[in-house]
Amino acid sequence: MITRFLTDVRIKFNPFSIRSKPARIFLSLIPPNARASGLVVATQMLPRTSKEPATLGLKFKDGKEMNLEISKMRITDIMEEVDRHSRQLARKEELAGN
Amino acid sequence: MPPRIPLRPRALRLHAPHPSCTPLGATYASLATATTPAPPIDQTIRSVPPVLRYPPSQPPSHKPPEVRKTQLHRQYQSLLKSSPLILLFQHNNIKAVELMGIRRELALALRKLDNERVSNGQEDLYADQIRLQIIQTGIFASSLRVVEFFDPEGDVLDHAQHPTDPATPTSAQIPQTTNSPDDKRFTHGLSRRAWQAASNRKLKTELDPLLSGPLAIVAFPAVSPQYLKIVLSILAPSKEFPAPKRKVNPDYHEPAVQAGLQKLMFLGARVEGKVFDSDGAKWVGGIEGGIDGLRAQLVHALQGVGANLAGALEGAGRSLWVTVESRRMDMEEKEGGGKKEEESV
């Protein structure tokens, strides 16, 4: 997963729900140095009894925001969604010659 | 000239006596020994003591016992059985330096609490036994299933005669199990029966949804809210359990430690077989004075109840006593009066 174009990750899930597995895997995919290089990760844990679905909010460096309902997605789908925009940004950056 | 040493051709010849000319002295029928002696009389009337076919500490296991997986499985089982309080964390790509920092801070805080307890004259010091341990999630989940669902009834030693029984041929208690993992009588957690019990997918544990992804645990040898409070304030600071202040503990606020703590997520706890979420764990940590405090509260409450009950019962008894006593006095008076009257007559 391409994380270098992300600036902000907001994630909310109930750890006791099986549907929150992709949320937890997404958190474990963020590289160890990402937080040090300016990525803000905010995790909110819901109480055990809550039925609220897991959500993921992303902000990219170009200002695009993305809100995903991740309780019905697989981790590969989430990565695909995130990477689709990240790849565009990567191409732009490459063409700009940086 | 003939040789000096006289040659004796018969002595040079290879000695191979003819079977017909063996000396008679070698075959006495009375000296012949039987190859299998008769069994001692004891063995014919009692059964032979069983023989242990495997080292006592290594009963045959379902999976090969020499691999790391199996040993981790055994280790996690004993951890789950011996620790009533386990906290579960998810660790997201924590670096070795950060993990080292977190462990150092945890150990220091716990040791400080230990010293406090020593100065208060309290026993039960657990600082050396509480530590952050990264686990293999799948193996941990499997061993949890064994601990929850494998309940071996009966003991392998049930058949054995009591060692003080004079009929017992040996005082060694030896389980009557064979050397094959198929044996149904094994009760250890790595046995085939345990594996079968744990692989029943219809049974679900409460902790199942938590057991995925990279996990770390903190296991406590006893449910001690005081220690739980310290661990939560270090690893998962919140309003109820604030982290140590920068002035008190500047090492805790080092960037390495803080970066590590950001990547550590508190998921839930297993307290005496029950599963709590983070709020539940905080509630357990908030019990004042630990188990002793709870006991004191209970004793206080019961004492109040007892005093009331005693008062109520005593009241009834007292009133009865008063009635009976007054009646007795009354009768005595009458009797006394009668006697006096008789004397006067």
Side-chain angles (χ1 to χ4, degrees), chain A residues 2-75:
Chain A
I2 307 165
T3 54
R4 66 198 159 104
F5 298 106
L6 293 172
T7 56
D8 194 78
V9 174
R10 296 195 178 278
I11 209 160
K12 189 162 78 167
F13 64 95
N14 172 12
F16 283 90
S17 140
I18 299 177
R19 300 260 165 227
S20 67
K21 232 183 213 183
R24 285 171 55 194
I25 298 174
F26 183 86
L27 281 173
S28 71
L29 287 175
I30 296 171
N33 281 329
R35 287 173 178 84
S37 55
L39 174 66
V40 179
V41 182
T43 321
Q44 194 196 343
M45 299 261 199
L46 296 170
R48 193 181 172 185
T49 49
S50 92
K51 301 276 177 202
E52 226 175 300
T55 53
L56 170 68
L58 295 170
K59 274 184 198 161
F60 289 88
K61 274 188 180 158
D62 65 338
K64 184 186 162 72
E65 289 185 24
M66 201 183 260
N67 281 312
L68 298 171
E69 276 264 325
I70 48 178
S71 53
K72 296 218 175 87
M73 299 167 88
R74 293 180 159 276
I75 184 65

Side-chain angles (χ1 to χ4, degrees), chain B residues 4 8 39 42 120 122 131 153 158 207 222 245 330:
Chain B
R4 290 277 171 85
R8 290 186 300 161
D42 240 20
N120 286 350
Q122 285 167 306
R131 61 205 175 82
E153 67 287 342
D158 271 351
L207 219 52
K245 291 269 188 297
D330 195 35

Side-chain angles (χ1 to χ4, degrees), chain B residues 130-148:
Chain B
I130 300 171
R131 61 205 175 82
L132 184 70
Q133 185 186 0
I134 287 173
I135 55 169
Q136 298 272 323
T137 309
I139 302 175
F140 188 80
S142 167
S143 52
L144 178 72
R145 296 181 68 83
V146 169
V147 169
E148 297 256 313

Side-chain angles (χ1 to χ4, degrees), chain A residues 2 60 64 66 77-91:
Chain A
I2 307 165
F60 289 88
K64 184 186 162 72
M66 201 183 260
D77 304 337
I78 299 169
M79 280 164 66
E80 213 172 292
E81 287 287 322
V82 175
D83 280 356
R84 183 176 299 147
H85 191 69
S86 294
R87 273 198 303 269
Q88 283 176 13
L89 292 182
R91 190 170 303 142

Side-chain angles (χ1 to χ4, degrees), chain B residues 96-106 251 254 256-257:
Chain B
V97 184
E98 295 162 353
L99 197 60
M100 207 171 66
I102 293 172
R103 284 186 169 143
R104 182 195 63 214
E105 289 309 314
L106 186 65
D251 285 349
E254 269 181 12
V257 177

Side-chain angles (χ1 to χ4, degrees), chain A residues 24 28 30 32-33 45 48, chain B residues 93 95 206 210 212 263 275:
Chain A
R24 285 171 55 194
S28 71
I30 296 171
N33 281 329
M45 299 261 199
R48 193 181 172 185
Chain B
N93 295 323
K95 288 199 228 165
E206 274 185 285
L210 287 189
S212 70
K263 299 176 198 167
V275 176

